């Protein structure tokens, strides 16, 4: 079947998930316009894909927190679809509302307003998060399963409260940005929307980073467990995760499948994880020369199995096959090890 999309704008394209979305589109022969705040990073992304140079162009966009509302009117010119991945993701904030919540909402609003003006846009896929699904007060027993029907009950006031941690504020940023998108969709613009709500996302990287210190938030945790001597292993906030390559594929399928329009999906592996499991996989893994000496301490860590997250509906409706955790961890750690080796040889 011919693709209904020939030219797609991807925001957050030089980030961890966005770059995989770019590759997933390019591999299907779909032309991509990659949006980034940094032309330098954009050019690095392009230079690393010489075989796709005729299918990939870069557009510079503003920061979502700029006082002047960010505009995507140039970025959306002539595209038939948009995959909006960009959103602030940091837990080292000084003002949560200014750095996380307002920019996340402003980004979604700006992209949807621009898409409404560009008549050829037929679908916008938005990367939301399990953060906008989960209810931190809901505890098992009895066992329960989160689905795409669930919404985080956090109020705006709670998420901007100065006493609130960046973790909770981030959950608010994803919820209120997604709410903004669904409200916008109610006014029936010329396109439909799909939102994806993934939990922790891990896997090899394909976006430009200067060094391992520049790893995105989720992979940085994995690398720390694989390479540092912790007194105590970090405890996973939730036991759910997805491989970045599966998530990128989910974004593209959500764009291409007509029947996905207007839906919200939780995209999650059926396996659960803990950082203890990461340590075990690395310590036992073949091909990790440092393994037992270097991996974070090998304390057994129970995996929270008291509740579930539905990843099956997305698998069925978007045609996904989830990667095993062991492969995700192994592929990423091997890659990080190579990058670390290169860093060592380039340090004077
Ligand atoms: N990683 C996870 O575990 C995870 C899980 C669930 C959902 N998500 C969601 O997935 C998306 C991508 O996350 P990621 O892990 O790929 O993170 P990432 O590598 O940090 O990428 C985030 C992207 O967002 C853009 N961005 C950040 N702050 C911005 C701002 N203030 N204004 C404009 N653009 C901004 C960055 O653009 P530049 O390239 O211009 O710097 C970057 O490309 C986010 O929406 C995040 O909430 C991530």
């Amino acid at each position: 079947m011919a693709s209904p999309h020939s030219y797609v704008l991807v925001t957050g394209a030089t980030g961890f998930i966005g770059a995989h979305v770019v590759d997933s589109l390019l591999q299907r022969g779909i032309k991509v316009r990659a949006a980034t705040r940094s032309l330098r990073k954009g050019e690095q992304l392009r230079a690393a894909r010489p075989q796709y140079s005729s299918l990939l162009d870069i557009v510079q966009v503003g920061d979502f927190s700029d006082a002047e509302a960010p505009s995507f009117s140039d970025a959306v010119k002539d595209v038939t679809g948009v995959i909006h991945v960009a959103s602030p993701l940091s837990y080292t904030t000084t003002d949560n509302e200014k750095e996380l919540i307002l920019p996340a909402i402003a980004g979604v609003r700006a992209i949807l307003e621009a898409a409404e003006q560009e008549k050829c846009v037929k679908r916008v896929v938005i990367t939301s998060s399990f953060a906008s699904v989960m209810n931190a007060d809901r505890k098992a027993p009895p066992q329960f399963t989160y689905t795409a029907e669930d919404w985080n009950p956090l109020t705006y006031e709670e998420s901007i409260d100065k006493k609130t941690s960046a973790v909770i504020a981030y959950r608010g940023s994803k919820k209120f940005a997604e709410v903004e998108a669904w409200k916008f969709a109610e006014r029936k613009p010329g396109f439909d929307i799909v939102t994806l709500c993934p939990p922790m996302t891990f896997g090899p990287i394909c976006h430009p980073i200067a060094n391992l210190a520049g790893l995105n938030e989720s992979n940085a945790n994995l690398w720390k467990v694989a390479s540092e001597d912790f007194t105590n292993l970090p405890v996973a906030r939730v036991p759910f995760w997805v491989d970045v390559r599966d998530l990128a594929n989910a974004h593209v399928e959500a764009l291409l499948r007509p029947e996905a329009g207007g839906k919200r999906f939780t995209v999650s592996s059926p396996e659960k994880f803990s950082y203890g499991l990461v340590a075990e996989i690395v310590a036992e893994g073949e091909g990790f020369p440092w393994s037992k000496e270097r991996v974070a301490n090998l304390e057994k860590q129970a995996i929270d199995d008291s509740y579930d997250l539905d990843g099956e509906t997305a698998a069925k409706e978007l045609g996904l096959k989830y990667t095993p955790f062991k492969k995700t961890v192994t592929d990423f750690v091997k890659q990080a090890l190579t990058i670390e080796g290169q860093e060592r040889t380039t340090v004077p």
Side-chain angles (χ1 to χ4, degrees):
M1 192 180 68
S3 162
H5 293 279
S6 49
Y7 197 7
V8 176
L9 170 70
V10 179
T11 71
T14 57
F16 170 50
I17 295 170
H20 278 279
V21 171
V22 168
D23 281 349
S24 186
L25 288 162
L26 292 174
Q27 281 154 15
R28 296 166 198 241
I30 299 172
K31 203 169 158 196
V32 175
R33 183 177 289 146
T36 173
R37 291 169 297 179
S38 153
L39 273 186
R40 187 183 51 79
K41 277 202 278 176
E43 283 314 325
Q44 284 176 330
L45 185 85
R46 219 167 96 83
R49 293 158 177 76
Q51 71 278 34
Y52 292 121
S53 58
S54 64
L55 283 182
L56 178 60
D57 60 86
I58 310 297
V59 63
Q60 187 169 28
V61 291
D63 193 291
F64 301 151
S65 50
D66 283 351
E68 217 172 280
S71 168
F72 281 92
S73 46
D74 288 338
V76 294
K77 281 261 166 321
D78 302 327
V79 301
T80 52
V82 177
I83 302 187
H84 179 53
V85 183
S87 202
L89 204 184
S90 163
Y91 297 133
T92 51
T93 50
T94 49
D95 184 331
N96 290 330
E97 187 179 23
K98 230 167 102 187
E99 292 165 56
L100 291 174
I101 300 166
L102 292 174
I105 299 170
V108 163
R109 192 180 297 141
I111 203 84
L112 294 177
E113 279 170 357
E116 192 174 30
Q117 296 309 312
E118 182 63 35
K119 298 297 172 215
C120 28
V121 175
K122 295 295 168 231
R123 177 162 296 171
V124 178
V125 177
I126 297 172
T127 319
S128 186
S129 171
F130 177 60
S132 99
V133 173
M134 67 176 290
N135 176 355
D137 295 328
R138 191 173 175 191
K139 302 271 184 250
Q143 182 97 12
F144 63 93
T145 302
Y146 281 113
T147 71
E149 301 285 309
D150 292 303
W151 279 90
N152 185 337
L154 208 61
T155 65
Y156 192 84
E157 289 64 36
E158 283 164 346
S159 19
I160 62 165
D161 189 323
K162 297 282 179 219
K163 295 191 288 300
T164 289
S165 68
V167 171
I168 292 173
Y170 170 72
R171 290 176 187 159
S173 80
K174 296 307 287 181
K175 169 181 176 177
F176 292 105
E178 197 190 339
V179 166
E180 184 74 20
W182 286 114
K183 261 200 281 176
F184 196 100
E186 278 171 18
R187 65 196 224 203
K188 308 263 178 263
F191 54 85
D192 58 16
I193 70 167
V194 183
T195 62
L196 301 182
C197 301
M200 290 298 282
T201 305
F202 300 122
I205 64 167
C206 63
H207 64 296
I209 57 167
N211 49 43
L212 287 175
L215 276 175
N216 64 291
E217 196 72 41
S218 49
N219 271 342
N221 280 337
L222 222 77
W223 179 238
K224 274 190 201 158
V225 173
S227 63
E228 281 183 16
D229 190 13
F230 280 109
T231 319
N232 295 303
L233 278 175
V235 176
R237 287 190 199 99
V238 295
F240 311 121
W241 71 282
V242 67
D243 184 285
V244 67
R245 296 159 290 193
D246 302 340
L247 180 59
N249 184 28
H251 280 79
V252 178
E253 291 296 335
L255 180 79
L256 299 182
R257 293 181 181 233
E259 64 279 14
K263 293 190 180 169
R264 183 181 197 231
F265 292 102
T266 48
V267 185
S268 180
S269 161
E271 282 179 87
K272 291 181 187 138
F273 90 102
S274 71
Y275 288 108
L277 184 56
V278 175
E280 271 174 49
I281 291 170
V282 177
E284 287 163 13
E286 286 164 29
F288 297 138
W290 78 99
S291 60
K292 287 198 176 60
E293 295 81 62
R294 218 183 135 183
V295 74
N297 76 33
L298 274 169
E299 71 194 69
K300 275 268 173 224
Q301 223 182 25
I303 293 180
D304 186 351
D305 204 19
S306 65
Y307 63 121
D308 297 286
L309 171 59
D310 169 35
E312 221 179 291
T313 306
K316 231 185 264 156
E317 295 196 24
L318 300 176
L320 313 176
K321 209 164 166 262
Y322 292 114
T323 303
F325 191 57
K326 193 169 174 180
K327 175 167 171 53
T328 302
V329 171
T330 307
D331 287 353
F332 166 70
V333 175
K334 278 190 178 159
Q335 183 192 33
L337 185 62
T338 307
I339 298 173
E340 187 187 51
Q342 287 159 354
E343 281 173 19
R344 283 219 186 98
T345 52
T346 50
V347 169

